[in-house]
Amino acid sequence: MPETVQEATDQVATDQAEGTTDADARSGPTTEELLVQEGDIAGDYLERLLDVLDYDGDIDLDVEASRAVVSIDGGEDLEKLVGPRGNVLEALQELTRLAVQQETGTRSRLMLDIAGWRADRRDELSDLGRATAKKVLETGERARLQPMTPFERKVVHDAVATVSGVHSESEGEDPRRRVVVFPQ
């Protein structure tokens, strides 16, 4: 099986030139297969990182919503890889995406979670988004939230969208970009 997107593309071109009739060979890897490949590359990169740091952790690979998802759980030192407000986690996610991009030649939308931080933060932000939306409904006044990362803003926007009678928008420039909830 090809190990990079370029190898897969080269294999498809070779199969077509040779007149291979195998449907799988002609069509190349599926989107899901490419996302699994991204997860594998990211998992290998993160495993080497954990080895260098001498941290324990179990790496789990998945595909959700057309995105590779990599989770690291189980180690005592993993909180250090999350950092304050997830800053270290965000940086590691970008480094992991770059490692995948270097290997595949395409930009990755991979999502990294460490020690369940992102999952916990998602729940917390969903509650905040719904509570803010309800407050805006009651008061009729817009509400501006604290600056957030793109991940955090998306979670809040999704939560606000579940409440009728309000809508949300992002304003400002990163890193001070924030969600504003308006009555309709």
Side-chain angles (χ1 to χ4, degrees):
M1 173 141 214
E3 293 200 12
T4 67
V5 172
Q6 185 60 49
E7 288 175 354
T9 304
D10 293 346
Q11 183 63 49
V12 170
T14 301
D15 290 345
Q16 287 175 337
E18 293 174 357
T20 303
T21 58
D22 178 18
D24 288 337
R26 277 198 320 267
S27 64
T30 64
T31 301
E32 174 122 358
E33 289 170 336
L34 292 173
L35 291 172
V36 167
Q37 180 184 18
E38 277 188 22
D40 288 341
I41 293 166
D44 291 344
Y45 174 80
L46 292 165
E47 191 171 303
R48 288 190 307 269
L49 175 70
L50 291 175
D51 286 345
V52 167
L53 295 172
D54 197 26
Y55 286 6
D56 290 325
D58 298 320
I59 298 175
D60 183 43
L61 311 172
D62 202 0
V63 174
E64 296 174 10
S66 300
R67 168 183 287 208
V69 178
V70 180
S71 301
I72 305 174
D73 290 303
E76 293 177 20
D77 295 318
L78 294 180
E79 291 295 323
K80 294 175 187 172
L81 297 179
V82 173
R85 290 192 41 130
N87 291 338
V88 176
L89 171 60
E90 289 293 329
L92 285 174
Q93 178 174 277
E94 282 306 308
L95 288 172
T96 304
R97 286 176 173 176
L98 288 171
V100 170
Q101 181 177 346
Q102 183 178 14
E103 184 75 25
T104 64
T106 58
R107 177 90 172 116
S108 173
R109 294 180 51 239
L110 174 130
M111 181 70 72
L112 175 62
D113 192 7
I114 298 175
W117 186 86
R118 219 180 268 284
D120 293 344
R121 184 74 174 141
R122 182 178 288 119
D123 292 342
E124 181 182 314
L125 290 167
S126 291
D127 292 345
L128 173 66
R130 283 189 297 275
T132 303
K134 289 175 184 175
K135 179 180 175 187
V136 168
L137 272 177
E138 291 171 11
T139 66
E141 296 180 19
R142 73 180 187 172
R144 295 175 71 213
L145 300 176
Q146 293 296 315
M148 297 179 184
T149 67
F151 158 76
E152 292 171 324
R153 289 192 310 271
K154 180 178 182 341
V155 172
V156 172
H157 285 304
D158 290 347
V160 169
T162 66
V163 178
S164 297
V166 296
H167 73 282
S168 62
E169 298 174 10
S170 290
E171 72 175 20
E173 299 294 323
D174 282 328
R176 307 286 307 157
R177 196 157 170 82
R178 65 183 69 226
V179 173
V180 182
V181 182
F182 299 91
Q184 287 183 327

